[in-house]
Each structure stands twice: as C-alpha cells, then as structure tokens.
Amino acid sequence: MWTISTNKSWDHLAQSFDWVRDMALTPQDPQHHAEGDVATHTRMVLEALCADAAYIELTEQDREILWAAALLHDVEKRSTTVTEPDGRISSPGHARKGALTARQILYGEIPTPFAIRQQVTALVRYHGFPLWALERPDPVKELVKVSQEIDTRLLAMLARADVLGRICADKDEMLYRIGCFEALCQEQQCWGAARPFATPHARMHYLLHENTHPDYVPFEQPVSEVILMSGLPGAGKDTFIRRHYPNLPVVSLDGLREEMGVSPTDATGNGQVIQAAKERARVFLRKGTGFVWNATNVTRQMRMQLLELFFTYKAQVRIVYVEVPYRQLFRQNSNREAVVPALVLEKLAAKLEVPAAWEAHEVTWIAADPAF
C-alpha cells in the first residue's frame, strides 16, 4: 500500500519536507482562519478528517489518499499569499498552483503510482469547489467535469474537514454549502462516480455547447479521428506512435523543426513551426483523414488551442498521455538524439498538467509506475 509517510507525526513531517516547514511561516486572514498560520490550520484539518466516521469507513488506501490530499491542500499558500491594501490576507490561485506542486512532489520527490497521484492532485486542485460550486455560471457543467477527474465523495470529505479545521464565524454556512454540493452530486448522478453519458460524442457535445442537456445524444457524428500525444520529452511518445499508429500520418513539431532548421530555443522560429504544423493538420482535417499530432502538450492551455482547432473540423479526438517514472525519464531523455537540457526538462515537469478525462472523446494514460 502506498503512503506519503509512514510516520505521520507533525514534527517528523516538518523535519522531512521543506514544504511542510513553510506552512508555519505562512499567515492567513483572521476572519476566515482565526486559528493562525497554514501549519496550524492543516494540523486541525487532519485531526478533523481522522475523526470523521465516513473517513474511518474508507479502505486503507483511500484513507491514505485523502490524508495526503489534506496535508497538501494548502501547500502553495506559501507562494500565493499576499496582504491587500486594506490589510486583508488572501491566497489567489493557491489550489491550482498547489496541484502542480503536489504532482511534482509525488512524481519526483515521493515516487507515487500514477493513479494514486492523480487522485491526490485532483483533490488538492478542487478542494474548495464544494464551497463555491453553486455560484458558478453553470454549476452542473462544472460539476460534470469535476466528476470525470475525482471521487466527489472524497472531495466532500476533504472540504468538510477543511471547514471544521478552522476557526471562523461562518462555519455553519460553509457546512450547509457542502451539504448542497452533495445533494447536487446525487441529483446529477455524480456522487462517487463520473457522470455517465450515452456515448463519448454525447459527452463532448454537452461540454462544448451551451444550453444542452447531458442526456442529449447528437445525431451528427465525427468525420475523422485525431490522436493528440502528450507527455514530457523522453517519455516514449515516438516509440508509442511507431508501435500503435504505424500507418497514420504524423504531424511532428520536432520533425518540422528539423525540416525547417529551427532550434528548440528559437521562440520566433518555434512560432513558425507551430503555424506550419497547424496548416498541415488543416489539410488532413479538410479531407477527413486521421492523423497523429506529436508534441509534448504538457499544459492544458497548449492542448485546448489544438482541441479547439480539431473540434472545429468535427474530428473525434483521442489524447494519449505517456509517462515513465521520474528517474527513468531523465535516463531516456539523455539517450535521445535531440537531448533536452536537464533544467529545461525539470521546468517542463513543473508545468505538467496531465490530461483529464473530460478534455477529449477519449483519454488514454500510458504510465509505468515506479518500483518500490
């Protein structure tokens, strides 16, 4: 069984991890966190979680996953906390940045099986969602997307512990919001499971269009299939393509750079490479010809720009994410013809956002877990 630490005493955690020590140095706004700094809050959250009857009834592995997420949920308040002109303290964007940091920690620092890392990371990313779900412009659609990434039962437990592990005047109101979130999950078939759809195409139609119902099944079908590769340099994307798609044309950014004589560090040249790649893709899309787009695509923003293009031409998209353990990644990168400098690879790993199931018609994760 995986665990983030066999010794869960706070002193041991603080001695072992700098990101735990940083919590004691990070203040919080007294209106919402009268208990004090992030370390005090996190310890109270862990205590509240361990006292929750629903938590106690979980499997041992799920308890470890949820405990790790509670430990990490505010890990990036250390870098995002600011004092506003009126003296209030806030930490904008700490959940999103915290998810990136959690992924780094559980990939490079504490080698973690891929599926477990994904669950912990998603819990960190969305730990505040149950409190604000009903205030979103389209709460049902947001919930449907979140349910594709995370077990909403675990998310509700984490959110409840997050509220109970603080001193504030509006605790009852926040607990009521979590109850409303749970009711919405049950109403929308998202409680503890991804919201079901008749077909992948029906799911994407719902997510991409306004004023649609999740049970609607569109008559129009995709006209071609695009394979969008994703993964860090050296993870094995080229090998996967040769093995599984030997007969499909490939639009490769590395191939185009070599063809056009452009260095990977040439920002202007890389812009030209991307435009040339998109034009080649358009040729295939107009003809309804399937193809593979081969590039790192490690951030959601990168992928969304391409997905928008592919969806415009009514293509069905399959994202294939390829990953190997951290140390193996650097070994394989060093054996490539076009070696990516180690510092550049580390920066790319720090920005990595693993594709979520809701991003495309199908998402496949090819991930080799670290040896224990």
Side-chain angles (χ1 to χ4, degrees):
M1 186 196 71
W2 174 86
T3 178
I4 194 169
S5 176
T6 54
N7 185 339
K8 291 183 169 60
S9 75
W10 192 263
D11 288 343
H12 173 78
L13 294 170
Q15 290 171 6
S16 302
F17 306 117
D18 59 354
W19 44 272
V20 174
R21 293 192 294 273
D22 289 345
M23 293 179 187
L25 306 175
T26 308
Q28 299 183 110
D29 192 90
Q31 179 174 333
H32 300 294
H33 290 278
E35 72 277 2
D37 57 42
V38 173
T40 303
H41 168 60
T42 301
R43 295 177 74 170
M44 292 174 66
V45 171
L46 292 170
E47 290 170 3
L49 183 66
C50 292
D52 185 346
Y55 172 80
I56 295 169
E57 292 175 359
L58 293 173
T59 65
E60 190 176 5
Q61 187 62 86
D62 280 348
R63 286 199 299 272
E64 288 294 323
I65 289 168
L66 196 49
W67 196 94
L71 177 65
L72 286 159
H73 81 285
D74 281 344
V75 67
E76 279 308 333
K77 280 189 173 179
R78 60 180 179 174
S79 65
T80 59
T81 295
V82 295
T83 301
E84 306 291 350
D86 62 0
R88 298 292 301 277
I89 298 173
S90 64
S91 306
H94 77 275
R96 180 180 181 278
K97 189 169 183 183
L100 293 174
T101 297
R103 182 173 289 114
Q104 280 183 273
I105 291 169
L106 300 180
Y107 183 43
E109 187 176 346
I110 306 172
T112 302
F114 176 79
I116 291 175
R117 175 170 17 111
Q118 285 300 98
Q119 292 181 71
V120 175
T121 301
L123 285 165
V124 173
R125 173 66 182 89
Y126 295 110
H127 73 265
F129 181 72
L131 294 174
W132 311 110
L134 294 178
E135 297 184 9
R136 301 297 179 93
D138 192 339
V140 173
K141 187 164 291 186
E142 288 295 316
L143 174 60
V144 167
K145 290 170 66 175
V146 170
S147 78
Q148 309 295 309
E149 290 191 60
I150 196 169
D151 185 330
T152 52
R153 294 175 303 172
L154 300 185
L155 183 59
M157 285 185 217
L158 177 58
R160 184 170 285 105
D162 190 16
V163 171
L164 294 173
R166 68 177 77 183
I167 299 173
C168 58
D170 58 349
K171 185 176 293 187
D172 288 343
E173 178 188 345
M174 288 192 288
L175 291 173
Y176 173 75
R177 291 185 181 191
I178 295 170
C180 292
F181 167 78
E182 293 176 340
L184 182 65
C185 289
Q186 293 165 358
E187 176 187 301
Q188 297 299 326
Q189 304 175 61
C190 294
W191 185 238
R195 207 282 182 192
F197 285 85
T199 65
H201 185 49
R203 172 168 49 81
M204 291 311 300
H205 184 274
Y206 170 71
L207 294 175
L208 292 172
H209 295 84
E210 296 181 359
N211 303 317
T212 58
H213 193 276
D215 290 331
Y216 172 71
V217 180
F219 175 77
E220 187 178 36
Q221 295 299 307
V223 297
S224 63
E225 182 180 43
V226 177
I227 310 299
L228 176 66
M229 300 300 298
S230 174
L232 292 164
K237 297 185 296 298
D238 291 345
T239 301
F240 184 89
I241 293 169
R242 286 194 296 269
R243 184 175 301 163
H244 296 277
Y245 302 110
N247 299 319
L248 282 182
V250 178
V251 177
S252 168
L253 295 193
D254 284 345
L256 274 168
R257 287 189 191 98
E258 184 176 350
E259 183 181 319
M260 297 169 66
V262 174
S263 167
T265 59
D266 181 351
T268 301
N270 274 304
Q272 295 171 345
V273 167
I274 292 171
Q275 290 307 312
K278 287 182 177 179
E279 190 49 49
R280 289 193 181 183
R282 288 189 183 95
V283 172
F284 293 128
L285 290 164
R286 292 186 191 109
K287 294 179 178 179
T289 301
F291 66 95
V292 179
W293 180 286
N294 187 19
T296 56
N297 297 313
V298 294
T299 69
R300 188 156 290 159
Q301 182 180 18
M302 289 180 186
R303 295 191 296 270
M304 288 304 169
Q305 293 175 359
L306 296 170
L307 291 168
E308 183 177 354
L309 170 64
F310 303 155
F311 292 148
T312 297
Y313 284 87
K314 298 181 174 55
Q316 177 167 301
V317 181
R318 179 186 181 197
I319 299 176
V320 177
Y321 172 76
V322 181
E323 177 185 293
V324 293
Y326 188 77
R327 292 181 180 178
Q328 183 180 340
L329 175 75
F330 282 81
R331 288 197 303 269
Q332 290 183 185
N333 174 62
S334 65
N335 293 327
R336 301 172 77 217
E337 289 185 12
V339 177
V340 176
L343 287 177
V344 174
L345 188 55
E346 288 176 2
K347 288 181 179 179
L348 285 172
K351 296 193 299 182
L352 173 64
E353 294 174 290
V354 174
W358 53 264
E359 291 185 30
H361 296 83
E362 182 180 356
V363 180
T364 301
W365 302 274
I366 310 297
D369 285 335
F372 289 94

